[in-house]
């Protein structure tokens, strides 16, 4: 599959919940999550993001996050990996869902990104 989805959240439950939601619309996609800290608390973990990137079988990854340190750790991961990761500053649930449904039907990246435009967080 060309695209995979990565969900990065401060909450393990939110990350898993978003994954379960979008799996209903995009069952063929590789969807991985990085939620919470390494010790199960609220926060972000670069190690969890790295593991989620490594486990994602998409040729390119469409990445979504919730809050500041999730964005910061995701940006660090983008610099550390050779995998092509597209990071989107959009509403987490709506953005990931919209991107997943379009990726499932193999829409071009330009179409996915145009659809995400109104969901941008400013």
């Amino acid at each position: 599959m060309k695209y995979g989805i990565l969900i990065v959240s401060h909450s393990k439950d939110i990350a898993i919940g978003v994954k379960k939601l979008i799996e209903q619309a995009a069952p063929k996609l590789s969807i991985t999550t990085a939620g919470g800290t390494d010790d199960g608390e609220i926060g972000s973990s670069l190690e969890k993001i790295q593991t989620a990137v490594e486990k994602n079988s998409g040729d390119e990854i469409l990445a979504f996050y919730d809050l500041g340190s999730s964005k910061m750790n995701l940006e660090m991961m983008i610099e550390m990996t050779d995998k092509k990761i597209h990071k989107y500053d959009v509403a987490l649930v709506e953005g990931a869902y919209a991107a997943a449904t379009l990726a499932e039907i193999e829409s071009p990246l330009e179409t996915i990104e145009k659809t995400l435009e109104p969901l941008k967080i400013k």
Side-chain angles (χ1 to χ4, degrees):
M1 184 59 75
K2 179 155 178 74
Y3 298 113
I5 302 286
L6 170 62
I7 306 298
V8 181
S9 175
H10 277 63
S11 166
K12 179 180 178 182
D13 293 335
I14 289 173
I16 291 170
V18 172
K19 178 182 178 184
K20 286 181 180 180
L21 178 69
I22 63 179
E23 281 176 332
Q24 298 301 307
K28 293 185 289 184
L29 286 186
S30 177
I31 305 166
T32 54
T33 64
T37 63
D38 295 330
D39 58 356
E41 297 297 319
I42 297 293
S44 181
S45 163
L46 181 59
E47 291 79 19
K48 282 189 172 190
I49 295 169
Q50 183 174 8
T51 299
V53 167
E54 289 169 357
K55 288 183 177 180
N56 196 298
S57 62
D59 297 330
E60 297 181 34
I61 298 174
L62 310 178
F64 301 87
Y65 66 91
D66 58 4
L67 300 169
S69 67
S70 291
K71 178 181 180 179
M72 179 188 70
N73 282 327
L74 179 56
E75 288 171 343
M76 282 195 288
M77 185 68 243
I78 290 169
E79 300 216 2
M80 294 169 49
T81 186
D82 290 334
K83 268 200 163 177
K84 180 71 175 165
I85 301 175
H86 306 274
K87 175 186 63 73
Y88 297 102
D89 302 321
V90 298
L92 175 63
V93 176
E94 295 87 344
Y97 188 87
T101 57
L102 291 169
E104 177 78 3
I105 60 170
E106 300 182 14
S107 296
L109 184 61
E110 302 78 40
T111 301
I112 295 169
E113 290 182 340
K114 186 174 182 180
T115 301
L116 294 175
E117 191 69 33
L119 301 174
K120 278 192 174 178
I121 298 171
K122 299 180 177 153

